[in-house]
Amino acid sequence: MAKRLSIAAAGLGRMGKRHALNFLNRTPRAELVAAFSPDPEELAWAKVNLEPYGVTLYDDYQKMLEHTGLNAVVIGTATSVHAEEAIQAMRKDLHVLCEKPLSTNIDVVGAQPRGVRPRHVADRCSIQCRDVVAEARKRPHLKVMCGFSRRFDASYRDAFDKMERGLIGRPSIIRSQTCDKHDPSGFFVEYAAWSGGVFVDMSIHDIDLTLWFFGDHVMPKSVSAYGIRAVQPDLAQHNDVDNAVGIVEFWGGKIGYYFCSRMMAHGQEDTTEVIGTEGKLSINGNPQSNLVNHFHAGGITREVPHDYYGRFEMAFVRESNEFAEACLDNKPLPMKLSNAVKAVEIGAALQEALVTGRQIRFDETGRRTEGSKL
């Protein structure tokens, strides 16, 4: 019988459940053998959905890491413990697939009086990220990956292939957005207490796409950001917003334009345009759940995905399968772990620009300089 990857799921929240079920049911070369959560409700869910299929449940992360025969861990816990848990897993000689971002600090967007400059957010945010990268470098035999799901999406891969073949000339502008369906329950307000803010939580995907399409060598030159609270004024307590626009100017003549929103009335709308000197690529420019259009007296109607997973479900399935393949066959991962650090640094700089109202500048090596006085 062919060898299978013995993997454990850490965290059984919204995304953690999805990762667990993907490795349990949709990754033939992997076997989900254990799962951890400190939350009694999540463990109750696991007793129904995981335990009957041979998955051992733990309420202690360290004990789960000691599970006999374990090869890897998929981390879907709260962002604040991603880095710590990833490092602990590596020290047990385990491969790691970690949900994005690798780390963030809830103090990054903590309340600051207008005009008072906080400590360099990007520096604070990236410390733990760099710790993860440093730990991974000590163990080159391990596969350690931060899961940016859009890199596994068939449409984004097709667009990247077209760009690589020169079909749009030299890519110069990327305009990308992550827009969630409006949730009036208050979930996003509660989530903002530890998410790192909209740019670190949402635009991190669009920033990662930029590092993919422009190349991971690109360095930011300046960062500006603007935001409003249009539908969720309670986000003010976390110094966050429900709609934001960020602009990153890169050295070498490239620009990234990012829009993130938590108030879409119709559903999830994650779209990207890569504009080159000889053409343009558009991904998901007309979002829809499937190929059905309803023609009726009022016009033509098409449905769109309700949430992020509705759009990228199959990307997550491909991610779990390619991760298992990389671990078992010692194949290279599809992305550099260091890119996860750069994505957090740029996202955190955007969040700081949003909070302070100042432009942030960098030199050609990526080192931060004084911000604009305008």
Side-chain angles (χ1 to χ4, degrees):
M1 185 175 180
K3 183 181 178 183
R4 299 174 74 193
L5 183 73
S6 179
I7 192 166
L12 296 171
R14 185 182 299 183
M15 279 310 307
K17 288 183 176 74
R18 292 164 176 167
H19 282 300
L21 292 174
N22 280 342
F23 277 105
L24 179 67
N25 300 317
R26 306 168 87 175
T27 312
R29 298 190 67 190
E31 180 182 9
L32 185 72
V33 298
F36 152 78
S37 175
D39 187 291
E41 290 186 10
E42 292 178 5
L43 286 175
W45 174 89
K47 282 185 175 294
V48 174
N49 295 278
L50 302 180
E51 194 173 51
Y53 302 97
V55 180
T56 304
L57 305 182
Y58 294 89
D59 61 5
D60 184 296
Y61 181 70
Q62 294 296 330
K63 289 181 179 178
M64 186 194 73
L65 294 183
E66 301 291 343
H67 188 92
T68 303
L70 193 63
N71 305 131
V73 177
V74 54
I75 298 174
T77 48
T79 304
S80 56
V81 295
H82 281 182
E84 178 185 353
E85 291 180 348
I87 290 170
Q88 289 171 349
M90 283 186 275
R91 288 175 178 171
K92 292 293 184 180
D93 207 38
L94 301 173
H95 304 291
V96 176
L97 169 56
C98 184
E99 257 299 303
K100 64 80 194 169
L102 279 180
S103 175
T104 184
N105 188 319
I106 59 173
D107 292 333
V108 164
V109 289
Q112 295 278 353
R114 187 76 171 179
V116 176
R117 188 180 184 85
R119 290 169 57 194
H120 289 179
V121 172
D123 292 343
R124 296 168 61 191
C125 256
S126 64
I127 289 173
Q128 283 188 314
C129 289
R130 288 174 179 153
D131 290 343
V132 174
V133 174
E135 196 68 33
R137 284 177 178 158
K138 295 177 187 176
R139 296 167 172 81
H141 64 288
L142 292 179
K143 302 298 180 181
V144 183
M145 184 172 83
C146 186
F148 285 101
S149 52
R150 294 184 203 183
R151 290 197 183 223
F152 299 90
D153 178 71
S155 295
Y156 277 99
R157 286 192 170 182
D158 182 55
F160 182 79
D161 178 66
K162 286 179 167 58
M163 183 199 72
E164 285 285 274
R165 290 189 282 130
L167 300 188
I168 62 168
R170 186 176 67 256
S172 303
I173 307 286
I174 188 165
R175 182 165 54 199
S176 195
Q177 68 179 49
T178 299
C179 295
D180 290 342
K181 183 177 174 65
H182 176 49
D183 181 353
S185 71
F187 168 79
F188 286 135
V189 176
E190 180 182 349
Y191 180 55
W194 52 270
S195 71
V198 290
F199 285 114
V200 174
D201 178 54
M202 301 178 73
S203 294
I204 198 88
H205 289 285
D206 307 292
I207 296 166
D208 178 67
L209 288 174
T210 303
L211 299 179
W212 187 22
F213 280 83
F214 282 175
D216 51 34
H217 62 282
V218 294
M219 289 290 180
K221 182 178 182 181
S222 68
V223 168
S224 305
Y226 314 88
I228 58 172
R229 299 179 193 101
V231 294
Q232 298 186 346
D234 289 345
L235 284 169
Q237 65 187 288
H238 302 301
N239 233 352
D240 206 6
V241 298
D242 52 35
N243 285 267
V245 170
I247 299 173
V248 179
E249 177 190 16
F250 293 93
W251 288 96
K254 290 179 169 58
I255 292 176
Y257 175 101
Y258 311 118
F259 171 47
C260 49
S261 174
R262 298 204 189 275
M263 74 168 193
M264 294 293 103
H266 55 286
Q268 194 77 19
E269 188 175 341
D270 302 328
T271 66
T272 302
E273 289 180 307
V274 184
I275 304 165
T277 53
E278 299 173 25
K280 180 179 80 169
L281 294 164
S282 176
I283 303 100
N284 203 39
N286 293 293
Q288 55 191 80
S289 293
N290 52 42
L291 301 179
V292 176
N293 288 275
H294 176 204
F295 293 73
H296 51 87
I300 304 172
T301 303
R302 70 174 185 272
E303 296 179 358
V304 301
H306 178 78
D307 56 21
Y308 185 84
Y309 199 66
R311 167 64 181 87
F312 292 105
E313 178 179 359
M314 295 313 298
F316 282 100
V317 174
R318 179 177 286 184
E319 177 185 74
S320 64
N321 279 274
E322 291 192 9
F323 177 72
E325 184 179 78
C327 294
L328 293 171
D329 300 337
N330 195 27
K331 289 187 175 181
L333 294 167
M335 64 190 78
K336 293 181 179 179
L337 189 61
S338 57
N339 276 355
V341 179
K342 185 180 284 190
V344 169
E345 289 174 335
I346 293 173
L350 283 164
Q351 197 70 25
E352 183 176 334
L354 171 69
V355 171
T356 63
R358 299 186 181 190
Q359 186 182 64
I360 298 171
R361 292 185 174 275
F362 302 84
D363 65 22
E364 292 184 67
T365 69
R367 186 173 301 171
R368 181 167 168 161
T369 61
E370 283 296 315
S372 170
K373 302 297 183 181
L374 296 178

